[in-house]
């Protein structure tokens, strides 16, 4: 999937919007986060070991996030082996003192949305192995309970799913970082869990600016500083 195939049509010809006039000062020891591999690429044909280190980083510290776009993709009821029907791509922009360029997020990740029971089962296994404390397990169970309540109590509910913030190779899931997404006849909403912090994302709105096959079906913003809303999303 290449954003350049449809992003120009969606956000227009001007690639940047102004950042806040006085961007926050970052601690000197807090180097900018980038999407990078933790080790050299594997030789062709070799499968990753189960203990291979993750290539990508955790979600950035929330205090550094200036804006985020969430893009929802629907691959259809038969997405093919190894694929999931519903995914969300998170595009995160940090306060680096430069104009916000939506084509070059500082951090991005594609999150596969699956049955909440599977996400909780993984968290319980990690807890049993001593890698997640009881306090860390509780948010997974609470999110799954919220998903079940949505499906039970919302008359127009379509589905409720969860997804890990993770990294290849293999199933490297970062503890305490996951998505809860609910969809109904009238729209979608998402809740991003980042350890002790929770971000409400949504409502999602339909993508009417690009009809390309690889374009997301819906968009939503986390825009606490108003850097994106009121420009191309008006």
């Amino acid at each position: 999937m290449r954003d350049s195939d449809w992003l120009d049509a969606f956000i227009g010809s001007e690639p940047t919007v102004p950042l806040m006039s006085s961007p926050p000062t970052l601690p000197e020891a807090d180097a900018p986060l980038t999407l990078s591999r933790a080790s050299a690429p594997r030789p062709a044909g070799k499968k990753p070991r189960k203990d291979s280190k993750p290539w990508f980083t955790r979600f950035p510290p929330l205090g550094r996030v200036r804006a985020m776009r969430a893009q929802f993709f629907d691959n259809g009821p038969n997405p093919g082996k190894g694929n999931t029907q519903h995914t969300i791509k998170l595009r995160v922009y940090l306060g680096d003192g430069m104009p916000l360029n939506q084509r070059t997020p500082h951090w991005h990740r594609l999150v596969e949305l699956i049955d909440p029971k599977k996400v909780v089962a993984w968290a319980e296994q990690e807890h049993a192995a001593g890698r997640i404390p009881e306090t860390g397990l509780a948010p997974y169970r609470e999110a799954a309970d919220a998903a079940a309540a949505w499906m039970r109590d919302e008359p127009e509910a379509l589905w409720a799913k969860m997804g890990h913030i993770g990294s290849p190779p293999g199933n490297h899931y970062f503890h305490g970082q996951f998505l809860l997404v609910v969809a109904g006849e009238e729209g979608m909403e998402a809740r991003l869990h980042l350890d002790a912090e929770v971000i409400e994302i949504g409502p999602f709105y339909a993508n009417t600016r690009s009809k390309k096959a690889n374009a997301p079906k819906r968009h939503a913003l986390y825009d606490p500083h108003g850097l994106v809303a009121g420009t191309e999303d008006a």
Side-chain angles (χ1 to χ4, degrees), residues 25 33 38 44 53 56 68 93 99 102 109 132 141 161 165 217-220 233:
T25 302
L33 293 176
K53 294 181 179 179
F56 302 154
M68 174 174 61
Y93 309 94
Q102 292 197 66
R109 195 64 44 83
I132 291 182
R141 289 174 169 167
K161 297 182 179 181
I165 305 295
K217 302 300 183 185
R218 293 179 177 271
H219 292 260
D233 290 281

Side-chain angles (χ1 to χ4, degrees), residues 63-84:
R64 301 188 60 200
V65 176
R66 304 270 62 81
M68 174 174 61
R69 182 181 291 279
Q71 302 165 325
F72 170 70
F73 296 84
D74 188 337
N75 301 310
N78 299 303
K81 185 177 181 180
N83 299 319
T84 56

Side-chain angles (χ1 to χ4, degrees), residues 109-142:
R109 195 64 44 83
L110 189 68
V111 180
E112 296 182 337
L113 301 178
I114 59 178
D115 187 335
K117 292 180 180 179
K118 294 182 179 180
V119 177
V120 172
W122 171 85
E124 290 175 340
Q125 289 177 354
E126 292 294 285
H127 173 63
R131 291 186 285 267
I132 291 182
E134 186 66 32
T135 55
L137 176 60
Y140 287 92
R141 289 174 169 167
E142 292 169 0

Side-chain angles (χ1 to χ4, degrees), residues 58-226:
R58 293 170 60 88
F59 192 97
L62 187 56
R64 301 188 60 200
V65 176
R66 304 270 62 81
M68 174 174 61
R69 182 181 291 279
Q71 302 165 325
F72 170 70
F73 296 84
D74 188 337
N75 301 310
N78 299 303
K81 185 177 181 180
N83 299 319
T84 56
Q85 178 177 357
H86 298 139
T87 61
I88 283 187
K89 187 171 186 178
L90 302 176
R91 299 168 61 88
V92 178
Y93 309 94
L94 306 180
D96 60 0
M98 300 296 291
L100 191 156
N101 187 338
Q102 292 197 66
R103 293 173 177 79
T104 56
H106 297 85
W107 184 98
H108 62 86
R109 195 64 44 83
L110 189 68
V111 180
E112 296 182 337
L113 301 178
I114 59 178
D115 187 335
K117 292 180 180 179
K118 294 182 179 180
V119 177
V120 172
W122 171 85
E124 290 175 340
Q125 289 177 354
E126 292 294 285
H127 173 63
R131 291 186 285 267
I132 291 182
E134 186 66 32
T135 55
L137 176 60
Y140 287 92
R141 289 174 169 167
E142 292 169 0
D145 289 344
W150 165 267
M151 294 301 297
R152 180 186 66 244
D153 301 333
E154 176 57 46
E156 298 182 346
L158 296 177
W159 51 263
K161 297 182 179 181
M162 294 171 62
H164 300 281
I165 305 295
S167 170
N171 295 330
H172 288 272
Y173 301 141
F174 296 121
H175 295 161
Q177 298 199 342
F178 61 91
L179 270 174
L180 166 63
V181 183
V182 297
E185 296 287 351
E186 297 299 322
M188 293 173 48
E189 294 186 8
R191 186 177 298 165
L192 174 59
H193 288 255
L194 301 173
D195 303 308
E197 298 177 288
V198 180
I199 299 176
E200 300 287 345
I201 306 174
F204 283 72
Y205 53 93
N207 176 11
T208 60
R209 302 196 185 188
S210 177
K211 301 300 182 181
K212 293 183 179 293
N214 66 340
K217 302 300 183 185
R218 293 179 177 271
H219 292 260
L221 295 174
Y222 171 72
D223 190 23
H225 303 289

